[in-house]
Amino acid sequence: MTKTLKQLREDARGCQNCTLWANATQTVFGAGDPHARVMLVGEQPGDEEDKKGLPFVGPAGRLLDKALTEAGVDREHLYVTNAVKHFKWQLRGKRRLHKTPAQREIDACHQWLEGEIAAVKPHVIVCLGSTAAKAVIGKDFKVSISRGQFVESPLAPYVFATLHPSALLRVQEDEDRELAFKQLVNDLSLIKKALARD
Ligand code: URA
């Protein structure tokens, strides 16, 4: 039987399916409209998300909000989650720096993402970055090659991947960052197109 988001959130709270729980403050489960027609999937919580227990509330989340606004998409109506629900980090000086999750950690967390998709039944799934695309679309998917294109998926009628906002934050040159931001906004505009096709 399909579990509700409430049940899944409760179950995921004590998840020890991989070792990431040991260094994280808490499980950061998805949040947003439980009946959303659009689900955004990121990689994993960052430092701020780990402390607050909510996805995309730190610097990447603020950039995502800006891109969504420019694309004419209201975050209020979305369900936002991550492929991996614990913050993986390494200490650099006093800062906890993000570490990319390993495939085994993505796999260990997959049951929660699967549960969220089954409970929300989104019409559109947007994968933000490579980890999310690997978890939702497949291990060989390359965001650099296939971003902004709908892919066939049993998980939802419309699925596509785009850039991760954190990747934009790491771009050094202003011009390159602005171009990447335009690409992100352009890709996110597909959400409205997919909803209009329904
Ligand atoms: N990056 C992610 O992938 N998810 C978050 O929640 C925050 C940053």
Side-chain angles (χ1 to χ4, degrees):
M1 214 187 67
T2 307
K3 287 194 179 179
T4 63
L5 286 175
K6 190 165 177 270
Q7 287 168 328
L8 288 162
R9 188 175 289 110
E10 286 296 309
D11 293 351
R13 203 188 299 276
C15 181
Q16 298 188 357
N17 287 351
C18 73
T19 55
L20 294 185
W21 66 272
N23 289 326
T25 307
Q26 57 193 316
T27 301
V28 179
F29 206 72
D33 182 347
H35 307 293
R37 305 199 63 229
V38 182
M39 180 182 285
L40 300 196
V41 183
E43 182 191 76
Q44 61 164 349
D47 183 71
E48 239 176 282
E49 288 81 9
D50 171 75
K51 289 174 187 150
K52 293 186 178 150
L54 288 167
F56 281 104
V57 290
R62 288 189 276 281
L63 189 59
L64 175 63
D65 288 347
K66 190 168 167 239
L68 286 168
T69 303
E70 290 212 13
V73 178
D74 188 351
R75 180 164 170 173
E76 286 276 296
H77 297 135
L78 307 179
Y79 183 85
V80 180
T81 191
N82 283 301
V84 171
K85 309 274 194 270
H86 282 116
F87 180 33
K88 181 175 182 180
W89 55 275
Q90 60 188 348
L91 206 56
R92 189 80 58 80
K94 286 186 179 162
R95 292 179 63 209
R96 298 190 303 167
L97 288 192
H98 156 277
K99 262 185 105 176
T100 304
Q103 187 63 49
R104 67 176 179 285
E105 290 149 354
I106 301 172
D107 292 343
C109 228
H110 201 67
Q111 70 176 99
W112 306 123
L113 182 59
E114 257 177 4
E116 288 172 298
I117 295 170
V120 176
K121 298 187 196 67
H123 191 67
V124 187
I125 300 178
V126 183
C127 306
L128 300 168
S130 171
T131 299
K134 284 191 166 75
V136 173
I137 301 170
K139 291 181 183 140
D140 298 327
F141 187 88
K142 296 261 178 300
V143 175
S144 54
I145 297 172
S146 304
R147 51 155 272 274
Q149 295 170 30
F150 292 120
V151 294
E152 288 272 326
S153 170
L155 301 176
Y158 294 97
V159 175
F160 69 91
T162 184
L163 305 169
H164 193 294
S166 296
L168 272 62
L169 292 172
R170 287 192 293 269
V171 177
Q172 295 291 320
E173 297 292 326
D174 288 352
E175 214 176 298
D176 295 341
R177 199 170 44 253
E178 278 160 28
L179 177 68
F181 184 73
K182 277 192 186 130
Q183 290 176 334
L184 175 62
V185 171
N186 211 33
D187 292 349
L188 291 173
S189 306
L190 287 175
I191 294 173
K192 287 210 302 190
K193 289 196 182 124
L195 293 176
R197 277 195 210 175
D198 189 21

